[in-house]
Amino acid sequence: MTFWFAVLGASAVAFATKFAGYVVPPAALEQPRVKRLTGMLPVALLASLVVLQTFSTGRDLVLDARAAGLLVAVLALVCRAPFIVVVVLAAGTAAGLRALGWG
Amino acid sequence: MTAAPTDARSAVVRQGLSVAVATGLYGVSFGALSVTSGLSVWQTCVLSLLLFSGGSQFALIGVLGGGGTAGAAVAASSLLGVRNALYGLQLVPVMRPRGWRRAAVAQLTIDESTAVAVAQSEPPLRRLGFWVTGLGVYVGWNLMTLVGALAGNSLGDPKRFGLDAAAAAAFTGLLWPRLKGREPVAIAVVGALVTTVLVPVIPQGLPVIAAAAVGSLVAWCWPQPRTGDEA
């Protein structure tokens, strides 16, 4: 039930946000500072989510096969690999290491 | 309205469809990750149908899968979607939607449809780019979400296939193109540090909100660029 609440709640907010762009007076969001803020917010959020997904098990910080996967993902991104390739390489790295008994 | 030349129109269609295929494909990883985060196949598909914004969807399942509350998950997802309102502002003069079309245009307003639309030279091509990309991504993303959700359910322990590492890589892939210049890099580092420090000490789901708050503060206080060199 909690999950359904999250799913439907987030969907409603997402649609309202998208719709707002078509009805909000442009002046409100076009101030340079507000514009920069909305551009930078995703950066902070995504960086946080990378840390959570790589080093956290809920309440603890750990170093496991996910860290190696992240390293490979970054290398792939440096080499300009497409998104799907980055994801697959990271998963493959972690899966490979675990098959060898680490992480 | 003068019709754009046929070859210009087919170039836009090709562009939109290639973006749609590339984006749609990673709906597989969303679908698989979502069910391994504990959501049902139905919940996963409803997310792609109704929420339809990749970053927000990953954030929602990331927080829920990590044991965060529904409120924290909705907050993280919603903050990540704020940029879609800005896209709408850019698209109002292009799309000028009326009536029911306004809801359809709003729902399809995402990174990809906006990017392809604004990249075109004239209004009819922009509208074409928006619809082809938006509808293409919508269909591809939803089909691939279903495929991933069904496959993810039958995989057994997701760790065996490194699906947890795939989630980390997905967020990194979404973050990467934004790291241009000192300000975004500084904000990313601050966001990562705040999260690392807070994970062991505050309830699950809150570190991501704290990172967003501190990151916003840094962005707000960052020295304004001189007019003309705005990124």
Side-chain angles (χ1 to χ4, degrees):
Chain A
M1 214 52 230
T2 312
F3 279 14
W4 272 118
F5 174 79
V7 166
L8 297 176
S11 297
V13 175
F15 184 77
T17 307
K18 291 172 175 177
F19 202 79
Y22 292 91
V23 292
V24 160
L29 284 165
E30 271 183 349
Q31 294 167 20
R33 264 198 171 175
V34 176
K35 226 174 173 175
R36 276 187 330 123
L37 198 62
T38 46
M40 288 302 133
L41 194 55
V43 172
L45 275 166
L46 289 169
S48 175
L49 290 165
V50 169
V51 170
L52 285 180
Q53 286 291 340
T54 311
F55 302 110
S56 147
T57 54
R59 292 305 301 255
D60 296 308
L61 292 172
V62 293
L63 196 62
D64 59 21
R66 292 176 295 174
L70 180 71
L71 191 68
V72 169
V74 170
L75 288 174
L77 285 164
V78 169
C79 298
R80 297 165 181 272
F83 189 97
I84 192 79
V85 174
V86 171
V87 172
V88 169
L89 283 177
T93 303
L97 285 173
R98 283 176 183 143
L100 296 171
W102 187 75
Chain B
M1 192 200 303
T2 51
T6 318
D7 49 345
R9 292 175 62 86
S10 58
V12 175
V13 171
R14 268 201 308 276
Q15 203 180 342
L17 288 181
S18 58
V19 170
V21 169
T23 310
L25 275 177
Y26 85 83
V28 167
S29 49
F30 172 74
L33 287 169
S34 180
V35 295
T36 56
S37 298
L39 282 80
S40 68
V41 173
W42 273 111
Q43 288 167 333
T44 300
C45 289
V46 166
L47 269 181
S48 282
L49 286 166
L50 296 185
L51 205 163
F52 188 54
S53 191
S56 295
Q57 292 180 227
F58 276 116
L60 187 87
I61 63 166
V63 175
L64 289 179
T69 63
V74 171
S77 158
S78 302
L79 286 171
L80 212 45
V82 169
R83 67 186 189 286
N84 290 328
L86 288 182
Y87 295 158
L89 285 179
Q90 291 174 40
L91 291 170
V92 165
V94 179
M95 304 304 294
R96 286 188 297 251
R98 289 278 172 271
W100 67 269
R101 276 175 181 250
R102 197 146 77 156
V105 168
Q107 180 66 351
L108 296 180
T109 298
I110 51 169
D111 297 314
E112 292 80 8
S113 55
T114 307
V116 173
V118 301
Q120 309 309 323
S121 53
E122 45 184 305
L125 293 178
R126 288 185 182 166
R127 281 191 286 276
L128 180 67
F130 178 88
W131 286 113
V132 170
T133 313
L135 288 171
V137 173
Y138 194 79
V139 171
W141 178 255
N142 277 289
L143 283 177
M144 291 298 114
T145 294
L146 178 62
V147 169
L150 295 174
N153 248 353
S154 60
L155 286 177
D157 184 4
K159 283 187 170 186
R160 195 151 61 91
F161 299 93
L163 277 184
D164 49 349
F171 285 125
T172 311
L174 291 171
L175 173 62
W176 196 258
R178 298 170 187 274
L179 296 178
K180 284 175 187 146
R182 276 189 204 164
E183 185 186 4
V185 171
I187 288 168
V189 169
V190 168
L193 282 177
V194 167
T195 308
T196 309
V197 170
L198 291 181
V199 161
V201 291
I202 65 174
Q204 288 164 8
L206 293 185
V208 67
I209 308 297
V214 176
S216 300
L217 192 68
V218 174
W220 189 261
C221 298
W222 195 268
Q224 297 268 8
R226 283 181 192 85
T227 46
D229 59 41
E230 221 178 317

PDB file of all heavy atoms in Angstrom, chain B residues 15-44:
ATOM      1  N   GLN B  15      15.939  11.328 -36.557  1.00  0.00           N
ATOM      2  CA  GLN B  15      16.571  11.780 -35.308  1.00  0.00           C
ATOM      3  C   GLN B  15      15.709  11.386 -34.105  1.00  0.00           C
ATOM      4  O   GLN B  15      16.203  10.806 -33.141  1.00  0.00           O
ATOM      5  CB  GLN B  15      16.734  13.295 -35.372  1.00  0.00           C
ATOM      6  CG  GLN B  15      17.809  13.845 -34.467  1.00  0.00           C
ATOM      7  CD  GLN B  15      17.912  15.355 -34.592  1.00  0.00           C
ATOM      8  OE1 GLN B  15      17.439  15.937 -35.562  1.00  0.00           O
ATOM      9  NE2 GLN B  15      18.519  15.985 -33.616  1.00  0.00           N
ATOM     10  N   GLY B  16      14.429  11.705 -34.206  1.00  0.00           N
ATOM     11  CA  GLY B  16      13.523  11.411 -33.105  1.00  0.00           C
ATOM     12  C   GLY B  16      13.445   9.923 -32.803  1.00  0.00           C
ATOM     13  O   GLY B  16      13.489   9.506 -31.650  1.00  0.00           O
ATOM     14  N   LEU B  17      13.367   9.113 -33.883  1.00  0.00           N
ATOM     15  CA  LEU B  17      13.240   7.664 -33.688  1.00  0.00           C
ATOM     16  C   LEU B  17      14.512   7.057 -33.114  1.00  0.00           C
ATOM     17  O   LEU B  17      14.453   6.153 -32.275  1.00  0.00           O
ATOM     18  CB  LEU B  17      12.869   6.972 -35.004  1.00  0.00           C
ATOM     19  CG  LEU B  17      11.426   7.224 -35.481  1.00  0.00           C
ATOM     20  CD1 LEU B  17      11.165   6.477 -36.787  1.00  0.00           C
ATOM     21  CD2 LEU B  17      10.406   6.808 -34.420  1.00  0.00           C
ATOM     22  N   SER B  18      15.683   7.577 -33.526  1.00  0.00           N
ATOM     23  CA  SER B  18      16.914   6.997 -32.975  1.00  0.00           C
ATOM     24  C   SER B  18      17.040   7.337 -31.492  1.00  0.00           C
ATOM     25  O   SER B  18      17.472   6.507 -30.689  1.00  0.00           O
ATOM     26  CB  SER B  18      18.143   7.450 -33.764  1.00  0.00           C
ATOM     27  OG  SER B  18      18.243   8.843 -33.773  1.00  0.00           O
ATOM     28  N   VAL B  19      16.624   8.555 -31.124  1.00  0.00           N
ATOM     29  CA  VAL B  19      16.608   8.906 -29.700  1.00  0.00           C
ATOM     30  C   VAL B  19      15.616   8.006 -28.957  1.00  0.00           C
ATOM     31  O   VAL B  19      15.893   7.506 -27.868  1.00  0.00           O
ATOM     32  CB  VAL B  19      16.236  10.388 -29.501  1.00  0.00           C
ATOM     33  CG1 VAL B  19      15.981  10.688 -28.031  1.00  0.00           C
ATOM     34  CG2 VAL B  19      17.327  11.291 -30.044  1.00  0.00           C
ATOM     35  N   ALA B  20      14.470   7.759 -29.594  1.00  0.00           N
ATOM     36  CA  ALA B  20      13.429   6.941 -28.960  1.00  0.00           C
ATOM     37  C   ALA B  20      13.907   5.511 -28.729  1.00  0.00           C
ATOM     38  O   ALA B  20      13.670   4.932 -27.670  1.00  0.00           O
ATOM     39  CB  ALA B  20      12.165   6.950 -29.815  1.00  0.00           C
ATOM     40  N   VAL B  21      14.602   4.945 -29.719  1.00  0.00           N
ATOM     41  CA  VAL B  21      15.087   3.567 -29.582  1.00  0.00           C
ATOM     42  C   VAL B  21      16.136   3.495 -28.477  1.00  0.00           C
ATOM     43  O   VAL B  21      16.065   2.638 -27.585  1.00  0.00           O
ATOM     44  CB  VAL B  21      15.670   3.053 -30.927  1.00  0.00           C
ATOM     45  CG1 VAL B  21      16.413   1.733 -30.713  1.00  0.00           C
ATOM     46  CG2 VAL B  21      14.561   2.873 -31.949  1.00  0.00           C
ATOM     47  N   ALA B  22      17.098   4.424 -28.505  1.00  0.00           N
ATOM     48  CA  ALA B  22      18.172   4.406 -27.508  1.00  0.00           C
ATOM     49  C   ALA B  22      17.603   4.563 -26.099  1.00  0.00           C
ATOM     50  O   ALA B  22      17.994   3.845 -25.169  1.00  0.00           O
ATOM     51  CB  ALA B  22      19.183   5.496 -27.802  1.00  0.00           C
ATOM     52  N   THR B  23      16.667   5.497 -25.937  1.00  0.00           N
ATOM     53  CA  THR B  23      16.087   5.746 -24.615  1.00  0.00           C
ATOM     54  C   THR B  23      15.177   4.598 -24.201  1.00  0.00           C
ATOM     55  O   THR B  23      15.210   4.148 -23.057  1.00  0.00           O
ATOM     56  CB  THR B  23      15.278   7.053 -24.624  1.00  0.00           C
ATOM     57  OG1 THR B  23      16.094   8.078 -25.188  1.00  0.00           O
ATOM     58  CG2 THR B  23      14.870   7.447 -23.227  1.00  0.00           C
ATOM     59  N   GLY B  24      14.377   4.132 -25.168  1.00  0.00           N
ATOM     60  CA  GLY B  24      13.435   3.059 -24.870  1.00  0.00           C
ATOM     61  C   GLY B  24      14.144   1.819 -24.346  1.00  0.00           C
ATOM     62  O   GLY B  24      13.679   1.170 -23.410  1.00  0.00           O
ATOM     63  N   LEU B  25      15.322   1.520 -24.929  1.00  0.00           N
ATOM     64  CA  LEU B  25      16.059   0.324 -24.532  1.00  0.00           C
ATOM     65  C   LEU B  25      16.377   0.305 -23.048  1.00  0.00           C
ATOM     66  O   LEU B  25      16.321  -0.728 -22.407  1.00  0.00           O
ATOM     67  CB  LEU B  25      17.364   0.236 -25.333  1.00  0.00           C
ATOM     68  CG  LEU B  25      17.246  -0.429 -26.701  1.00  0.00           C
ATOM     69  CD1 LEU B  25      18.588  -0.388 -27.407  1.00  0.00           C
ATOM     70  CD2 LEU B  25      16.768  -1.866 -26.543  1.00  0.00           C
ATOM     71  N   TYR B  26      16.696   1.462 -22.493  1.00  0.00           N
ATOM     72  CA  TYR B  26      17.071   1.374 -21.090  1.00  0.00           C
ATOM     73  C   TYR B  26      15.859   1.334 -20.176  1.00  0.00           C
ATOM     74  O   TYR B  26      15.984   1.212 -18.961  1.00  0.00           O
ATOM     75  CB  TYR B  26      18.170   2.372 -20.719  1.00  0.00           C
ATOM     76  CG  TYR B  26      17.859   3.774 -20.339  1.00  0.00           C
ATOM     77  CD1 TYR B  26      17.477   4.074 -19.026  1.00  0.00           C
ATOM     78  CD2 TYR B  26      18.019   4.814 -21.238  1.00  0.00           C
ATOM     79  CE1 TYR B  26      17.245   5.374 -18.648  1.00  0.00           C
ATOM     80  CE2 TYR B  26      17.789   6.120 -20.870  1.00  0.00           C
ATOM     81  CZ  TYR B  26      17.399   6.402 -19.577  1.00  0.00           C
ATOM     82  OH  TYR B  26      17.168   7.684 -19.217  1.00  0.00           O
ATOM     83  N   GLY B  27      14.664   1.323 -20.772  1.00  0.00           N
ATOM     84  CA  GLY B  27      13.473   0.975 -20.008  1.00  0.00           C
ATOM     85  C   GLY B  27      13.590  -0.438 -19.447  1.00  0.00           C
ATOM     86  O   GLY B  27      13.028  -0.752 -18.400  1.00  0.00           O
ATOM     87  N   VAL B  28      14.364  -1.301 -20.138  1.00  0.00           N
ATOM     88  CA  VAL B  28      14.606  -2.655 -19.637  1.00  0.00           C
ATOM     89  C   VAL B  28      15.264  -2.602 -18.274  1.00  0.00           C
ATOM     90  O   VAL B  28      14.844  -3.289 -17.336  1.00  0.00           O
ATOM     91  CB  VAL B  28      15.509  -3.467 -20.614  1.00  0.00           C
ATOM     92  CG1 VAL B  28      16.011  -4.739 -19.949  1.00  0.00           C
ATOM     93  CG2 VAL B  28      14.767  -3.792 -21.872  1.00  0.00           C
ATOM     94  N   SER B  29      16.291  -1.742 -18.147  1.00  0.00           N
ATOM     95  CA  SER B  29      16.983  -1.695 -16.851  1.00  0.00           C
ATOM     96  C   SER B  29      16.074  -1.092 -15.791  1.00  0.00           C
ATOM     97  O   SER B  29      16.083  -1.528 -14.644  1.00  0.00           O
ATOM     98  CB  SER B  29      18.316  -0.951 -16.946  1.00  0.00           C
ATOM     99  OG  SER B  29      18.179   0.274 -17.601  1.00  0.00           O
ATOM    100  N   PHE B  30      15.225  -0.123 -16.178  1.00  0.00           N
ATOM    101  CA  PHE B  30      14.293   0.408 -15.183  1.00  0.00           C
ATOM    102  C   PHE B  30      13.335  -0.685 -14.707  1.00  0.00           C
ATOM    103  O   PHE B  30      13.129  -0.868 -13.503  1.00  0.00           O
ATOM    104  CB  PHE B  30      13.486   1.608 -15.700  1.00  0.00           C
ATOM    105  CG  PHE B  30      12.415   2.000 -14.732  1.00  0.00           C
ATOM    106  CD1 PHE B  30      12.741   2.658 -13.560  1.00  0.00           C
ATOM    107  CD2 PHE B  30      11.091   1.622 -14.937  1.00  0.00           C
ATOM    108  CE1 PHE B  30      11.770   2.949 -12.613  1.00  0.00           C
ATOM    109  CE2 PHE B  30      10.119   1.910 -14.002  1.00  0.00           C
ATOM    110  CZ  PHE B  30      10.463   2.577 -12.841  1.00  0.00           C
ATOM    111  N   GLY B  31      12.758  -1.410 -15.656  1.00  0.00           N
ATOM    112  CA  GLY B  31      11.786  -2.445 -15.298  1.00  0.00           C
ATOM    113  C   GLY B  31      12.389  -3.496 -14.371  1.00  0.00           C
ATOM    114  O   GLY B  31      11.803  -3.855 -13.353  1.00  0.00           O
ATOM    115  N   ALA B  32      13.607  -3.952 -14.735  1.00  0.00           N
ATOM    116  CA  ALA B  32      14.263  -4.982 -13.930  1.00  0.00           C
ATOM    117  C   ALA B  32      14.612  -4.456 -12.538  1.00  0.00           C
ATOM    118  O   ALA B  32      14.383  -5.129 -11.533  1.00  0.00           O
ATOM    119  CB  ALA B  32      15.514  -5.472 -14.650  1.00  0.00           C
ATOM    120  N   LEU B  33      15.146  -3.234 -12.486  1.00  0.00           N
ATOM    121  CA  LEU B  33      15.542  -2.669 -11.191  1.00  0.00           C
ATOM    122  C   LEU B  33      14.338  -2.419 -10.303  1.00  0.00           C
ATOM    123  O   LEU B  33      14.390  -2.588  -9.092  1.00  0.00           O
ATOM    124  CB  LEU B  33      16.283  -1.350 -11.406  1.00  0.00           C
ATOM    125  CG  LEU B  33      17.692  -1.499 -11.960  1.00  0.00           C
ATOM    126  CD1 LEU B  33      18.228  -0.149 -12.393  1.00  0.00           C
ATOM    127  CD2 LEU B  33      18.584  -2.126 -10.922  1.00  0.00           C
ATOM    128  N   SER B  34      13.237  -2.003 -10.927  1.00  0.00           N
ATOM    129  CA  SER B  34      12.056  -1.677 -10.147  1.00  0.00           C
ATOM    130  C   SER B  34      11.520  -2.912  -9.418  1.00  0.00           C
ATOM    131  O   SER B  34      11.239  -2.851  -8.223  1.00  0.00           O
ATOM    132  CB  SER B  34      10.984  -1.081 -11.066  1.00  0.00           C
ATOM    133  OG  SER B  34       9.835  -0.768 -10.331  1.00  0.00           O
ATOM    134  N   VAL B  35      11.392  -4.035 -10.129  1.00  0.00           N
ATOM    135  CA  VAL B  35      10.868  -5.231  -9.457  1.00  0.00           C
ATOM    136  C   VAL B  35      11.865  -5.777  -8.430  1.00  0.00           C
ATOM    137  O   VAL B  35      11.466  -6.318  -7.405  1.00  0.00           O
ATOM    138  CB  VAL B  35      10.434  -6.350 -10.438  1.00  0.00           C
ATOM    139  CG1 VAL B  35       9.258  -5.900 -11.274  1.00  0.00           C
ATOM    140  CG2 VAL B  35      11.574  -6.803 -11.309  1.00  0.00           C
ATOM    141  N   THR B  36      13.175  -5.599  -8.711  1.00  0.00           N
ATOM    142  CA  THR B  36      14.137  -6.071  -7.710  1.00  0.00           C
ATOM    143  C   THR B  36      14.208  -5.114  -6.518  1.00  0.00           C
ATOM    144  O   THR B  36      14.714  -5.468  -5.467  1.00  0.00           O
ATOM    145  CB  THR B  36      15.547  -6.261  -8.307  1.00  0.00           C
ATOM    146  OG1 THR B  36      15.954  -5.038  -8.905  1.00  0.00           O
ATOM    147  CG2 THR B  36      15.565  -7.363  -9.325  1.00  0.00           C
ATOM    148  N   SER B  37      13.672  -3.882  -6.673  1.00  0.00           N
ATOM    149  CA  SER B  37      13.586  -2.966  -5.534  1.00  0.00           C
ATOM    150  C   SER B  37      12.356  -3.263  -4.679  1.00  0.00           C
ATOM    151  O   SER B  37      12.123  -2.596  -3.673  1.00  0.00           O
ATOM    152  CB  SER B  37      13.501  -1.513  -6.012  1.00  0.00           C
ATOM    153  OG  SER B  37      14.652  -1.152  -6.713  1.00  0.00           O
ATOM    154  N   GLY B  38      11.531  -4.216  -5.119  1.00  0.00           N
ATOM    155  CA  GLY B  38      10.385  -4.621  -4.315  1.00  0.00           C
ATOM    156  C   GLY B  38       9.039  -4.183  -4.863  1.00  0.00           C
ATOM    157  O   GLY B  38       7.995  -4.488  -4.275  1.00  0.00           O
ATOM    158  N   LEU B  39       9.016  -3.445  -5.976  1.00  0.00           N
ATOM    159  CA  LEU B  39       7.738  -3.043  -6.561  1.00  0.00           C
ATOM    160  C   LEU B  39       7.182  -4.196  -7.399  1.00  0.00           C
ATOM    161  O   LEU B  39       7.942  -5.016  -7.915  1.00  0.00           O
ATOM    162  CB  LEU B  39       7.898  -1.791  -7.430  1.00  0.00           C
ATOM    163  CG  LEU B  39       7.996  -0.463  -6.681  1.00  0.00           C
ATOM    164  CD1 LEU B  39       9.393  -0.231  -6.147  1.00  0.00           C
ATOM    165  CD2 LEU B  39       7.575   0.706  -7.565  1.00  0.00           C
ATOM    166  N   SER B  40       5.854  -4.233  -7.543  1.00  0.00           N
ATOM    167  CA  SER B  40       5.248  -5.271  -8.371  1.00  0.00           C
ATOM    168  C   SER B  40       5.388  -4.890  -9.843  1.00  0.00           C
ATOM    169  O   SER B  40       5.733  -3.759 -10.173  1.00  0.00           O
ATOM    170  CB  SER B  40       3.763  -5.420  -8.021  1.00  0.00           C
ATOM    171  OG  SER B  40       3.064  -4.254  -8.434  1.00  0.00           O
ATOM    172  N   VAL B  41       5.105  -5.861 -10.717  1.00  0.00           N
ATOM    173  CA  VAL B  41       5.135  -5.588 -12.153  1.00  0.00           C
ATOM    174  C   VAL B  41       4.123  -4.490 -12.489  1.00  0.00           C
ATOM    175  O   VAL B  41       4.396  -3.581 -13.275  1.00  0.00           O
ATOM    176  CB  VAL B  41       4.839  -6.871 -12.962  1.00  0.00           C
ATOM    177  CG1 VAL B  41       4.699  -6.561 -14.458  1.00  0.00           C
ATOM    178  CG2 VAL B  41       5.950  -7.902 -12.749  1.00  0.00           C
ATOM    179  N   TRP B  42       2.930  -4.548 -11.863  1.00  0.00           N
ATOM    180  CA  TRP B  42       1.907  -3.532 -12.096  1.00  0.00           C
ATOM    181  C   TRP B  42       2.392  -2.142 -11.695  1.00  0.00           C
ATOM    182  O   TRP B  42       2.242  -1.174 -12.439  1.00  0.00           O
ATOM    183  CB  TRP B  42       0.640  -3.851 -11.286  1.00  0.00           C
ATOM    184  CG  TRP B  42      -0.303  -4.762 -12.006  1.00  0.00           C
ATOM    185  CD1 TRP B  42      -0.584  -6.053 -11.677  1.00  0.00           C
ATOM    186  CD2 TRP B  42      -1.063  -4.457 -13.176  1.00  0.00           C
ATOM    187  NE1 TRP B  42      -1.476  -6.569 -12.583  1.00  0.00           N
ATOM    188  CE2 TRP B  42      -1.792  -5.610 -13.511  1.00  0.00           C
ATOM    189  CE3 TRP B  42      -1.190  -3.320 -13.975  1.00  0.00           C
ATOM    190  CZ2 TRP B  42      -2.647  -5.672 -14.602  1.00  0.00           C
ATOM    191  CZ3 TRP B  42      -2.044  -3.371 -15.072  1.00  0.00           C
ATOM    192  CH2 TRP B  42      -2.758  -4.535 -15.375  1.00  0.00           C
ATOM    193  N   GLN B  43       2.950  -2.063 -10.473  1.00  0.00           N
ATOM    194  CA  GLN B  43       3.426  -0.758  -9.996  1.00  0.00           C
ATOM    195  C   GLN B  43       4.508  -0.212 -10.923  1.00  0.00           C
ATOM    196  O   GLN B  43       4.542   0.972 -11.238  1.00  0.00           O
ATOM    197  CB  GLN B  43       3.978  -0.904  -8.570  1.00  0.00           C
ATOM    198  CG  GLN B  43       2.869  -1.116  -7.541  1.00  0.00           C
ATOM    199  CD  GLN B  43       3.393  -1.570  -6.200  1.00  0.00           C
ATOM    200  OE1 GLN B  43       4.456  -2.192  -6.099  1.00  0.00           O
ATOM    201  NE2 GLN B  43       2.646  -1.283  -5.147  1.00  0.00           N
ATOM    202  N   THR B  44       5.377  -1.106 -11.391  1.00  0.00           N
ATOM    203  CA  THR B  44       6.454  -0.713 -12.296  1.00  0.00           C
ATOM    204  C   THR B  44       5.891  -0.143 -13.594  1.00  0.00           C
ATOM    205  O   THR B  44       6.327   0.917 -14.062  1.00  0.00           O
ATOM    206  CB  THR B  44       7.343  -1.945 -12.583  1.00  0.00           C
ATOM    207  OG1 THR B  44       7.870  -2.417 -11.349  1.00  0.00           O
ATOM    208  CG2 THR B  44       8.481  -1.598 -13.525  1.00  0.00           C
TER     209      THR B  44
END
